[in-house]
Amino acid sequence: MDWKPYAESLAARISYPGSDWWGPVTGTPRHQLVARWFMPGGCGWQMADGPSAEEAWAQAAYSDRTLTTRVGPVHADHAEAGRTYIGLPTSSSTQPSLVLTMLRHGRIIPGVRLLDLATGSGYSAALACHRLGDDLVTTLDIDPYLTQAAAGRLNRIGWHPNVVTADASRELPGTYDRIVSMVSVPRIPAAWVTALAPGGRLVTTLANTGLILTADKTDDGRAVGRIEWDRAAFMATRSGDDYPPGLEYLFTTAREEEGEVTRSPFPVLDVAQAWEVWSMLSLVAPGIEHRTGTDDDGSRMTWMLHPDGSWARARTRPGERTATVHQGGPRRLYDVLDGIRRRWVEQGELPVYGAKVTISADGETELTRGGCVIRF
């Protein structure tokens, strides 16, 4: 495959000539790192095999989009052609522009020791090796197949970073000037703060939010920074082959039970598409699953489910600008959402983007902005 023109086209979309990242993008054969991937098909996912269709392979590999490489416990390398797989994505080759966003926030400059968290296909490690040299790059993933496959593919394109199989929430294998995570976390592991050299910089996203957190380590062992104004979302960390099962049993309850009925002054909102609201809600009430749909009469529907047994269902009928809300369980999830939306309407923003970040040595994180303090 003559991949160079495709890589240059990708670079032109996500970078510019003269940028520090122009050379790494144009010089990295992404297709060799992603030979197979999953595409939505039928009621699930179907494997796409790159070498069997080179033009489609080139178009996919050098597009600015995420390529899902693992669904549940099954990697695309091991998937059967024509078979449909059901499950959540558990690994991917991240959208190249998003990879660059995270690396740029990391302030990657020659000479720094980088820990690239979540090896995935190895694409972010390849870009970093191109910039720093592979002796300064460590890439880590919890999945032994991912690290083994990525190490082999990186080796074939001329890069030999330190590839580690480990749980990123535990002790990390070294000290680093930069830690850039391509996977999101519910809270900052204390091991990350410990492994960061004084003056070093940490970049990650917070699980189930659109928030990018950057922080620099201080002499007293803390890390101080902010929530950046741009946004990003990654898959969350996992400790096993797959994510825990969803709350399907509770969804049945939320669809059928009457619960406590109230009226919301706001119409149904697809929370996952309202990044600021979604991020604030995930910080103050973590663990909520959101589902949306349209009823036969055209009503907009939404459901909120929580592992503690709390649930909510809301409906906005055609022509209405309010919602009928049904709730049950130990907490009133929709009331929490409405409180956030009310603050959003009254103040025009929520105190998440631009918030000051302070991370203690044990990983306790505090966000402060506009008199609001959120700890997790």
Side-chain angles (χ1 to χ4, degrees), residues 78-303:
H78 307 138
E80 298 175 18
R83 178 178 171 181
T84 298
Y85 292 84
I86 308 297
L88 295 173
T90 49
S91 189
S92 67
S93 182
T94 300
Q95 181 181 4
S97 60
L98 184 50
V99 172
L100 288 195
T101 292
M102 300 300 283
L103 292 172
R104 285 169 175 147
H105 279 304
R107 299 177 183 172
I108 307 302
I109 57 175
V112 300
R113 298 163 295 174
L114 170 68
L115 175 61
D116 166 54
L117 288 175
T119 303
S121 69
Y123 184 66
S124 55
L127 296 180
C129 287
H130 203 293
R131 182 94 172 89
L132 298 174
D134 47 20
D135 58 323
L136 291 175
V137 177
T138 298
T139 183
L140 180 151
D141 205 292
I142 193 172
D143 188 314
Y145 178 73
L146 292 178
T147 52
Q148 174 192 353
R153 289 167 179 164
L154 286 165
N155 179 67
R156 286 194 291 274
I157 65 173
W159 295 121
H160 314 282
N162 182 27
V163 182
V164 177
T165 304
D167 184 342
S169 67
R170 302 181 185 276
E171 184 177 358
L172 297 178
T175 300
Y176 308 94
D177 303 301
R178 303 289 189 270
I179 297 176
V180 178
S181 178
M182 303 294 173
V183 66
S184 66
V185 290
R187 70 189 304 270
I188 307 302
W192 293 15
V193 183
T194 300
L196 200 61
R201 186 169 180 83
L202 163 68
V203 184
T204 189
T205 54
L206 298 177
N208 301 311
T209 77
L211 306 180
I212 302 173
L213 181 153
T214 62
D216 301 311
K217 190 167 182 179
T218 58
D219 291 338
D220 61 4
R222 299 180 303 154
V224 176
R226 71 173 185 175
I227 299 297
E228 298 293 340
W229 286 99
D230 50 345
R231 63 191 191 184
F234 284 86
M235 296 177 191
T237 51
R238 54 185 171 85
S239 57
D241 276 346
D242 201 352
Y243 294 113
L247 301 175
E248 194 63 34
Y249 72 94
L250 190 56
F251 188 37
T252 301
T253 299
R255 283 183 298 180
E256 298 176 357
E257 287 198 7
E258 181 75 3
E260 178 183 303
V261 184
T262 56
R263 195 78 175 172
S264 168
F266 307 113
V268 161
L269 175 71
D270 185 350
V271 173
Q273 300 303 315
W275 286 55
E276 195 175 8
V277 173
W278 172 52
S279 298
M280 183 77 174
L281 180 63
S282 295
L283 291 175
V284 300
I288 297 174
E289 283 188 18
H290 299 275
R291 307 191 185 189
T292 59
T294 304
D295 209 348
D296 293 339
D297 66 357
S299 296
R300 293 164 54 201
M301 301 287 297
T302 191
W303 296 265

